[in-house]
Amino acid sequence: MKIDLSGRSLLVVVSLLVTGCLAGVKKDAGAAPAAKGDPRVLELDAMADELGRSTARLKIADNAPPYFVAYTMRDLQSAELQARYGAIVVDNDRHDRSIYVEVRVGSHELDNSGAKEVGFFGPPDRATYSARLDAPLDGDLAALKGSLWLATDQQYKRALADFLSKRGDQVYEPEEERAPSFSKEAPSEAIDPPLAFSFDGKRWKAELKRASQRFRSAPEIFDNLIRVSGSRQSRSMVTSEGTRLIQEELLYGLHLSAVTRAEDGMLLRHERSFYARGGEGLPAGKALDGEVDRLMEELLALREAPVMDPYTGPALLEPDATGVLFHEAIGHRLEGERQDDEDEGQTFQGQLGREVIPAFIDVYDDPTLQRWEAQQLNGYYRYDDEGVPGQRASLVEAGVLRGYLTSRAPVKGADPKSNGHGRTQGHNDPIARMANLVVQPVASAPAGRVVGRAALEEQLVAEAKRQGKPYALVVTDISGGDTNTSGYGYQAFRGRPTLLWRIDVATGKKELVRGVELVGTPLTVINKIAAVSKESGVFNGFCGAESGYVPVSTVAPASLITEVELQRQRKDAERSPVLSPPWAKETPAK
């Protein structure tokens, strides 16, 4: 990812010299320069031309002009196939382009950013027309400039109105120290070489038809879906500070899901997902058939599993479940924008330097990690959506809070610089988000705190006996979770176990159970971790929050928690399909 400065327009150079931002540009020195005549660079130059015009001339009467403008264009090529019952039901190919325009009025110390007033009919806005945010697919530079021009005009007017409103609100606010509105960062320059996007639709159609037909062998599974997708995203970005980026990314995914009902009518879903940077990295052939068979076997076992009653007691969370727990209970609460927002719960606001979790655990987030051992990490990127290089953010060291995930919105009392975690799905404003969250024991952990997986289960059973519990729990698989960080609600999280095992402490018998979900308050549950395993696992997925859905990963060990709470899951009871599926032998309706 590198860039050629020679194509920059004179107008942009002049505006950068005036603001003093041309010096100190961080160039990515490792890659070859862009090929001559690269159409992506020509479009980047066109974006820079229009940005220069805006920064030099955009102003209304005696009001402040923008002090910062940024343009981002996303070019997304994607392909998707879906199959059910042995047939292709979705075959989509798409090519989309969109723009994102950011305009800031005021200064780094105080500008228009931040939470906006929202009324019954949404945020107040006197605009009678909203600019479209699509961009030309055919590389028409004049049309691209036109899209940016109209969106910039709209964003400037909104930014100016928000800035004036924000200054007015300060009349009523008490005098107190506030964090600056926007951090000062060195601009970056990098151009990725173009990535070729290929998707072998013919091969994947055959794979999905064959694999999804296997579900016909289990008539009890009344619905199923196999989806394979591939995408290439090229993100071009220019800012008035001098940042010029073109980033390329490939991501392929394979998703299996199936649905059945237990005899009591409870709806049961089970799914599995795989991700790769190329289509060849996804399960295919016998490997795909094996994953389908395993999914069916586990789902059919869940149909026969007993429903568990609400429970409090010790549990062992396998790496996937531990990762989801830390993602929901800790990671979201360490996102920078949540620290100074009075509408948030501010769980860790002002806690720097204090012990917040067990002292034998470290937590950090590092978007620059491409793999963990042999497994790809979804959260990898080189530059965030604000053009800042992704950096390792040390969050918790030996149980002590050391920092936050930060975008260019500084956190009061913390390092005012961004650590490259400003992320967004597209048209939303970037905010601090997780990327690759890593949970690991400290090197000097006390004896018994970090043990092998088998020893961890022995500790689990011993703890259940000590508490006088008839059984202990092992959470093997978890479908995901959610958390409430709002200051208006309870600070709680929820995880939805898919495969949950109950171990009889007297006999050691392990039994699959269903019908409950993991709930709790974050600090209470995390601080009840008594030990973790030496081995770690990877959980890949997507995380949804205010700025949209972004790819993320967690790396975590298995963990022994001395007390968890499981509440009864919504049953969603209903009669199963009355008739057997057409390909199954008819059985009398119940």
Side-chain angles (χ1 to χ4, degrees), residues 9-79:
S9 72
L10 177 62
L11 184 57
V12 175
V13 173
V14 170
S15 89
L16 293 176
L17 287 172
V18 169
T19 60
C21 295
L22 189 59
V25 174
K26 290 184 179 179
K27 295 185 181 181
D28 194 338
K36 185 176 181 180
D38 186 334
R40 302 173 306 151
V41 176
L42 297 178
E43 290 171 330
L44 195 71
D45 290 341
M47 294 168 64
D49 287 343
E50 185 57 31
L51 183 143
R53 191 167 75 103
S54 296
T55 54
R57 298 170 56 186
L58 192 57
K59 191 174 186 293
I60 296 177
D62 293 331
N63 292 290
Y67 80 92
F68 174 83
V69 180
Y71 292 161
T72 300
M73 180 175 69
R74 287 179 169 82
D75 183 305
L76 180 64
Q77 292 177 270
S78 62

Side-chain angles (χ1 to χ4, degrees), residues 144 491-492:
L144 173 58
Q491 293 302 295

Side-chain angles (χ1 to χ4, degrees), residues 441 449-453 456 532-536 557-558:
R449 296 294 194 179
V450 185
V451 298
R453 172 60 182 76
L456 196 65
V532 296
S533 66
K534 297 176 180 178
E535 309 83 8
S536 294

Side-chain angles (χ1 to χ4, degrees), residues 39 69 81 260 509:
V69 180
L81 291 170
T260 189
K509 179 184 177 183

Side-chain angles (χ1 to χ4, degrees), residues 273 275 320 375-379 436 538-542 552-554:
S273 298
Y275 299 93
D320 280 12
Q375 193 161 351
Q376 168 200 312
L377 297 181
N378 261 20
N436 296 318
V538 173
F539 181 89
N540 281 318
F542 279 76
V552 296
S553 301
T554 60

Side-chain angles (χ1 to χ4, degrees), residues 163-474:
F163 176 62
L164 295 174
S165 175
K166 190 173 183 179
R167 288 181 57 182
D169 289 343
Q170 288 190 327
V171 172
Y172 300 94
E173 295 174 355
E175 291 288 340
E176 61 178 19
E177 180 187 355
R178 296 181 179 84
S181 292
F182 198 49
S183 67
K184 296 180 179 180
E185 308 288 344
S188 301
E189 295 203 13
I191 295 184
D192 275 355
L195 293 178
F197 174 57
S198 62
F199 185 83
D200 191 342
K202 182 178 180 181
R203 179 177 75 88
W204 279 114
K205 284 179 182 179
E207 290 277 0
L208 266 58
K209 289 172 69 174
R210 184 200 69 253
S212 66
Q213 190 165 4
R214 300 178 78 84
F215 283 105
R216 293 188 184 184
S217 65
E220 302 90 344
I221 298 176
F222 60 80
D223 204 0
N224 63 84
L225 183 72
I226 303 181
R227 178 168 64 91
V228 64
S229 61
S231 66
R232 166 194 168 271
Q233 178 174 265
S234 179
R235 180 162 60 95
S236 302
M237 182 179 189
V238 294
T239 74
S240 56
E241 295 172 327
T243 288
R244 284 171 57 101
L245 295 174
I246 299 178
Q247 297 177 262
E248 300 263 340
E249 180 184 54
L250 295 174
L251 187 61
Y252 293 78
L254 177 69
H255 310 274
L256 314 177
S257 65
V259 186
T260 189
R261 287 191 185 276
E263 289 294 326
D264 60 5
M266 178 179 285
L267 187 68
L268 300 171
R269 303 175 185 271
H270 197 16
E271 57 190 25
R272 189 163 286 115
S273 298
F274 307 88
Y275 299 93
R277 301 293 175 186
E280 69 282 354
L282 300 176
K286 292 183 178 180
L288 176 55
D289 293 346
E291 294 294 346
V292 170
D293 291 346
R294 185 157 67 95
L295 187 78
M296 287 195 294
E297 180 182 342
E298 291 170 351
L299 190 54
L300 293 175
L302 281 170
R303 291 185 81 249
E304 306 303 322
V307 175
M308 186 175 170
D309 293 326
Y311 167 89
T312 58
L316 190 159
L317 274 60
E318 298 289 10
D320 280 12
T322 300
V324 171
L325 171 66
F326 272 83
H327 178 99
E328 300 295 348
I330 299 294
H332 277 301
R333 288 171 170 77
L334 291 178
E335 293 166 341
E337 279 82 352
R338 305 192 191 283
Q339 309 312 311
D340 297 334
D341 187 346
E342 293 298 329
D343 291 335
E344 289 285 336
Q346 300 175 315
T347 306
F348 295 108
Q349 197 261 359
Q351 299 295 307
L352 290 175
R354 299 182 184 179
E355 186 170 311
V356 293
I357 66 173
F360 60 93
I361 296 176
D362 287 340
V363 183
Y364 66 90
D365 191 285
D366 191 349
T368 69
L369 294 175
Q370 297 188 55
R371 309 186 75 84
W372 188 267
E373 297 178 348
Q375 193 161 351
Q376 168 200 312
L377 297 181
N378 261 20
Y380 166 73
Y381 58 84
R382 297 177 65 187
Y383 295 87
D384 71 4
D385 291 305
E386 295 181 304
V388 178
Q391 302 149 50
R392 171 170 166 159
S394 180
L395 303 174
V396 180
E397 296 176 358
V400 176
L401 182 63
R402 295 300 183 191
Y404 304 106
L405 301 164
T406 55
S407 63
R408 294 191 66 175
V411 177
K412 183 171 65 177
D415 186 340
K417 308 293 283 185
S418 168
N419 51 37
H421 282 78
R423 307 185 68 193
T424 179
Q425 184 179 13
H427 298 153
N428 302 303
D429 294 338
I431 64 171
R433 303 283 298 277
M434 286 171 277
N436 296 318
L437 189 73
V438 180
V439 180
Q440 62 182 21
V442 301
S444 57
R449 296 294 194 179
V450 185
V451 298
R453 172 60 182 76
L456 196 65
E457 190 163 315
E458 291 174 2
Q459 288 189 21
L460 169 71
V461 174
E463 177 64 23
K465 289 180 179 178
R466 187 189 70 79
Q467 294 185 23
K469 303 291 183 179
Y471 50 80
L473 298 178
V474 176

